[in-house]
Amino acid sequence: MDKKLIIIPTYNERENIEKILRKVFSLDGLYDVLVIDDGSPDGTAAIVKGLQGEYPDRLFLLERSGKQGLGTAYLSGFRWSLEHGYDYTFEMDADFSHNPDDIPRLYKACKDGADIAIGSRYCDGISVVNWPIGRIIMSYYASAYVRFILGMKIYDCTAGFKCYSRKVLENIDLDAVRMKGYGFQIEMKYTAWRKGFKLVEVPIIFVNRKEGSSKMSSGIFGEAFWGVIRLRFRKF
C-alpha cells in the first residue's frame, strides 16, 4: 500500500485543528498527517500533542519558532516526507477551506497518471463560496496573470490543495525555492512544469474559513507579483 502524508501548516488554528485531524483520520485509505506549527500562541501545538496518543504512528508534529512563512513550512514538510519514505505528499489548509473528502480524488488523479494533482477552484468555472467578490476577482485574475507571464496552462496557479508524487519532490531542488508566501505555490507548479512533469487540475469547491482568521497580507501578493516575473527569466 502506498504511504501517503498530508502536511498541514498551522498558526493559531485552535478552533479548527482537532476537527480537521479527526476528519482526515476518518477517511478510507490510511493517510498520515504532519502538522507544522509556527509557534502558535493560542495552543494549537498542544492540541495536536494531546491527539497523538489517539493516533500513534499516524500523527506527527514539527514545531518551529515564530512565523517563518507558508513556503518554508511546506519545504520542511517535503524534506520530512522524503526522509520517511512517503510515496505521495499532500498540501492542505487547516481551516476546512479545503474539503478533506476531496483528498482521495487528488490521490486517484496521481494514481491515474498525474505527477501533481491540483485541487482547482477555477478549472470548471469559479467554485468559491463565501469569499468577498473583490477577493475572488483578485485571485482569479492573479492566476490569469501567471498564465500570461509564464505560459503555464493551469487555471488555478495559486492553489494550495495538492498531491505530489514522490518523484516530483525528489527532482526539485528544494533549497533553490525562493518564494516564501503564496508565491511558493506558483513556483512549485512552474518548476515541476518546466521539468516536464504532468500537472492535472481536479475541480473542487473552495469554502472560506468559518473559524479563525486569514493569514493573507498585501506583502504576500507583492512577493507573488514580482516573483512571477523573476521566474519567467530563471534558468532551469
Side-chain angles (χ1 to χ4, degrees), residues 17-132:
I17 190 61
E18 180 171 354
K19 288 179 284 188
I20 196 77
L21 290 174
R22 291 192 184 280
K23 176 60 179 177
V24 168
F25 289 131
S26 74
L27 297 173
D28 292 334
L30 291 178
Y31 298 86
D32 295 345
V33 178
L34 173 65
V35 175
I36 302 178
D37 186 70
D38 274 5
S40 297
D42 71 346
T44 298
I47 295 172
V48 176
K49 290 176 183 176
L51 291 170
Q52 285 183 306
E54 291 187 45
Y55 304 102
D57 303 319
R58 294 188 63 192
L59 176 57
F60 306 94
L61 174 65
L62 177 60
E63 293 185 86
R64 309 196 304 171
S65 57
K67 295 180 70 175
Q68 300 180 39
L70 182 74
T72 66
Y74 277 126
L75 291 171
S76 295
F78 294 159
R79 294 185 185 99
W80 194 95
S81 178
L82 291 172
E83 290 169 3
H84 289 81
Y86 285 91
D87 302 297
Y88 294 94
T89 304
F90 297 76
E91 296 181 12
M92 190 177 74
D93 290 347
D95 60 9
F96 283 95
S97 55
H98 301 148
N99 185 349
D101 288 328
D102 288 325
I103 291 170
R105 297 174 59 229
L106 297 181
Y107 172 59
K108 183 178 185 301
C110 281
K111 292 294 287 184
D112 288 346
D115 297 309
I116 301 178
I118 302 165
S120 177
R121 298 163 291 184
Y122 305 128
C123 69
D124 188 20
I126 297 177
S127 300
V128 177
V129 177
N130 293 334
W131 258 10

